[in-house]
Amino acid sequence: MTTVVLKTVCVLLCAVFISAQVMPMPDFNLEKMGGKWYLVCFASNAERFVTHLRADMKMATAEMVKLALLSDGSCFRMHHLAKKTEIPGRFVFDNELWGNTNDMRVVDAKFDEYAIVHTIKIKGGKSEILNKLHTRTRKIADDLKEKFKQFSLDTGILEDNIAILPMNGECSDDTVSPKLKKI
């Protein structure tokens, strides 16, 4: 039992250290990130993902929009208003629904095809990792699935916690939950 606990603690510490080292892509372009994306893969070490959410998740759409410049810098919107940092491709935001602080980094992208986003979520001094693969179409090439899977493993996420999401119908503002519309 002690060995299992020690191994788990080592994996978690390793994941936090690795996440802190994950940097945004060097040639991030905010203008090219805008537009419609499909969330096709999802990976996390969050307990709620492992125990509850994974079975219910389906492919989703996201509209990423650069907003007008505000007094504290320009913003990026993905269900949340995320503040851009001094590092291109890195954004921070608070999630009122989950009560956590998020450090989001676009780590790899071919803006007309895909974007891999790595987020460190912190709540009550505890951190969780969330990796997402967004694509411009619903189809995912096998090499891109493998690239996302390897990135997720490299950031400390167990293979069982990496999900290729099944297709879902298109969403519109009329079909979005009022809870999710709140920004």
Side-chain angles (χ1 to χ4, degrees), residues 23-127:
M23 295 300 293
M25 61 187 288
D27 53 349
F28 177 77
N29 183 318
L30 183 58
E31 299 297 326
K32 291 182 179 179
M33 190 72 189
K36 184 175 184 174
W37 292 90
Y38 292 93
L39 173 59
V40 295
C41 296
F42 188 98
S44 181
N45 66 350
E47 186 63 33
R48 67 183 171 278
F49 172 70
V50 176
T51 58
H52 295 70
L53 298 178
R54 182 178 174 160
D56 298 328
M57 293 183 70
K58 300 231 185 302
M59 189 180 293
T61 57
E63 187 73 26
M64 298 188 195
V65 180
K66 179 181 176 188
L67 300 177
L69 192 64
L70 301 175
S71 61
D72 61 352
S74 55
C75 295
F76 197 74
R77 178 176 152 176
M78 276 181 57
H79 294 291
H80 313 284
L81 289 177
K83 293 179 186 173
K84 119 179 149 167
T85 67
E86 67 283 350
I87 301 170
R90 182 173 175 227
F91 303 86
V92 294
F93 64 94
D94 292 322
N95 184 325
E96 292 179 22
L97 182 65
W98 292 104
N100 57 25
T101 300
N102 296 265
D103 182 337
M104 180 176 75
R105 303 146 191 225
V106 180
V107 296
D108 187 19
K110 285 178 91 175
F111 295 107
D112 58 339
E113 294 178 33
Y114 73 90
I116 296 175
V117 179
H118 175 78
T119 305
I120 303 164
K121 298 173 164 291
I122 301 169
K123 181 178 180 177
K126 185 177 176 185
S127 66

Side-chain angles (χ1 to χ4, degrees), residues 3-19 44-45 127 129 152-159 161:
T3 305
V4 171
V5 171
L6 285 174
K7 284 182 181 178
T8 303
V9 168
C10 287
V11 167
L12 289 173
L13 288 173
C14 219
V16 169
F17 177 75
I18 290 167
S19 269
S44 181
N45 66 350
S127 66
I129 300 167
S152 295
L153 293 170
D154 290 346
T155 57
I157 295 175
L158 300 174
E159 189 168 359
N161 296 349

Side-chain angles (χ1 to χ4, degrees), residues 156-167:
I157 295 175
L158 300 174
E159 189 168 359
D160 286 347
N161 296 349
I162 302 169
I164 309 297
L165 302 175
M167 283 198 189

